Amino acid sequence: VFSRDIIVPQDILLIIREGAELLFGPSVSFISYSPVRAMGTAAQPIVVRPRFADSAWGVFAVLDTGEEKNIFQHVRMSGGKDATINGIYFSGMLSIHASDVEFMNGAVSGAGADDGIHVLDGLARIEHTAFSNNFADHIDIDFGHRGSEVAHNTFTISKERALDKNGDA
């Protein structure tokens, strides 16, 4: 249970184990300057959601992780929104800035701001994930690197687009 913002510094590897449930208080965010390995399984997914059903949490953001790819497998995220932390605006419930990411076999729902997943300046691979009831875009990739791939996902109800892409990817 997180009741205040968490900031993970550089030069470590953050591992979130299968079956973990991360509950966030209202507007609380999690920011990592280190690579993230969130490795759930089909039987024991990782759940990231609001602590209280009637209040949105902030964002789970990863930035500037260099050559290290961030991996999210069997992660179910819901009920987040956006946040400005240390002067940086994060528009996605899951925001990945200047980092590579793989998001596989997950679910992203109920994002209350601009994007369910937002990738800015990185290589993104988003596959086999269910997106539903996100306020605006389900996925937004800005200045994604060549080779980025979005495939085999399902999209249900969005105010804007399933995929919003700007740049070369």
Side-chain angles (χ1 to χ4, degrees):
V1 174
F2 299 100
S3 58
R4 61 185 176 126
D5 291 343
I6 301 297
I7 299 180
V8 177
Q10 291 180 318
D11 299 325
I12 63 172
L13 174 63
L14 174 63
I15 297 173
I16 303 172
R17 301 237 182 251
E18 66 276 356
E21 189 168 7
L22 286 65
L23 307 176
F24 290 89
S27 299
V28 173
S29 294
F30 191 104
I31 312 299
S32 180
Y33 290 91
S34 286
V36 175
R37 301 286 187 279
M39 310 289 284
T41 66
Q44 292 186 295
I46 294 167
V47 176
V48 181
R49 66 177 180 84
R51 180 175 182 201
F52 306 107
D54 61 344
S55 63
W57 57 283
V59 298
F60 192 110
V62 180
L63 58 158
D64 298 322
T65 60
E67 300 289 319
E68 293 284 335
K69 182 184 349 175
N70 298 279
I71 301 173
F72 295 82
Q73 292 183 359
H74 294 283
V75 175
R76 297 179 184 163
M77 302 185 95
S78 64
K81 53 180 183 141
D82 59 353
T84 300
I85 307 286
N86 293 336
I88 302 169
Y89 177 65
F90 299 102
S91 64
M93 178 169 53
L94 175 62
S95 290
I96 309 293
H97 289 202
S99 303
D100 297 342
V101 64
E102 179 179 289
F103 195 98
M104 309 285 285
N105 302 304
V108 177
S109 64
D114 202 33
D115 310 309
I117 295 177
H118 180 234
V119 178
L120 174 65
D121 186 26
L123 179 69
R125 183 174 173 211
I126 303 169
E127 295 184 356
H128 301 285
T129 294
F131 292 86
S132 63
N133 300 315
N134 294 305
F135 178 73
D137 301 328
H138 291 298
I139 302 170
D140 188 347
I141 300 176
D142 291 318
F143 307 102
H145 296 180
R146 288 195 188 278
S148 289
E149 184 175 341
V150 175
H152 310 291
N153 299 296
T154 58
F155 302 97
T156 309
I157 304 174
S158 171
K159 183 178 175 183
E160 295 290 328
R161 295 170 284 269
L163 174 61
D164 183 8
K165 179 188 86 65
N166 293 305
D168 292 334

